[in-house]
Amino acid sequence: MKEIKLRTEVITLFLSGQREARYGATTVETIGLQFRKIFELIAFASLAANREEYFLIYRDFEKHWEAAKLVKNLRRVNPNFYPKPVVEVPSKEPGVVNALKNRDEGYLSETELVEAHGRCGALMHAANPFSNGIDYSFYQRRFPIWLTRMMNLLNNHQVHLPGDPGFYLIHMKEDNDDHVHWYRFQPSRP
């Protein structure tokens, strides 16, 4: 999650115009590379959390990197592998400060992650001179949307591990500092 935060800072600097990569095409390609790596890191975070289970099924998992295949394989190991975005709202329960409410919209879905990862892959190669070329304006329009949706996915999210009735709550930032924080929740025992 820390690496995702750092790469997001790079994206923000380039999108704001505070940094550039000499000219328009290379600036877009640099931003695209950061998004592509972040999308992979989101999937790899689940892989790391589910390493033993994943290894039992896929012995060559060190070679898995393509987002669509990795996501498909992770789903087989842990159907709840994808981060679950939540919003903290005031709790009505005595002694509890915040309750968690599912974020229903406005976040980067699993399908969108795979599609955006593939789109960013097109920026990693020179355009075939006999093709239509790369539509850089498409990326300039999509980057701010992907950034917002990605932040809505990750800012507050739950991580669920297979066979574990509890979950981890991840905060990408808290009021008092800029560090990633996590909290373990598990059902109370009767």
Side-chain angles (χ1 to χ4, degrees), residues 125-188:
H125 307 285
N128 182 323
F130 301 105
S131 72
N132 292 333
I134 297 171
D135 181 3
Y136 289 100
S137 64
F138 165 82
Y139 295 96
Q140 290 170 320
R141 291 188 309 273
R142 293 305 298 174
F143 286 159
I145 296 167
W146 290 344
L147 180 61
T148 298
R149 295 178 72 76
M150 180 188 68
M151 291 177 80
N152 287 343
L153 170 68
L154 296 178
N155 274 349
N156 269 354
H157 68 276
Q158 293 178 353
V159 174
H160 295 267
L161 301 179
D164 184 345
F167 64 89
Y168 292 88
L169 178 65
I170 311 298
H171 288 173
M172 294 296 277
K173 181 178 181 176
E174 292 190 353
D175 292 336
N176 54 349
D177 66 43
D178 198 33
H179 298 288
V180 176
H181 293 267
W182 61 270
Y183 305 91
R184 172 89 174 109
F185 289 84
Q186 57 190 26
S188 58

Side-chain angles (χ1 to χ4, degrees), residues 7 11 28 37 41 59 89-90 118 123 133 143 146 152 154 167:
R7 291 183 181 280
I11 290 170
V28 169
K37 288 202 171 226
L41 287 167
R59 299 241 182 247
V89 296
L123 292 171
F143 286 159
W146 290 344
N152 287 343
L154 296 178
F167 64 89

Side-chain angles (χ1 to χ4, degrees), residues 2-16 19 34 38 147 150 178:
K2 179 64 175 168
E3 185 175 349
I4 289 173
K5 285 180 68 87
L6 293 171
R7 291 183 181 280
T8 301
E9 288 175 18
V10 172
I11 290 170
T12 302
L13 286 170
F14 275 75
L15 286 178
S16 70
R19 295 286 189 274
Q34 300 314 308
I38 288 170
L147 180 61
M150 180 188 68
D178 198 33

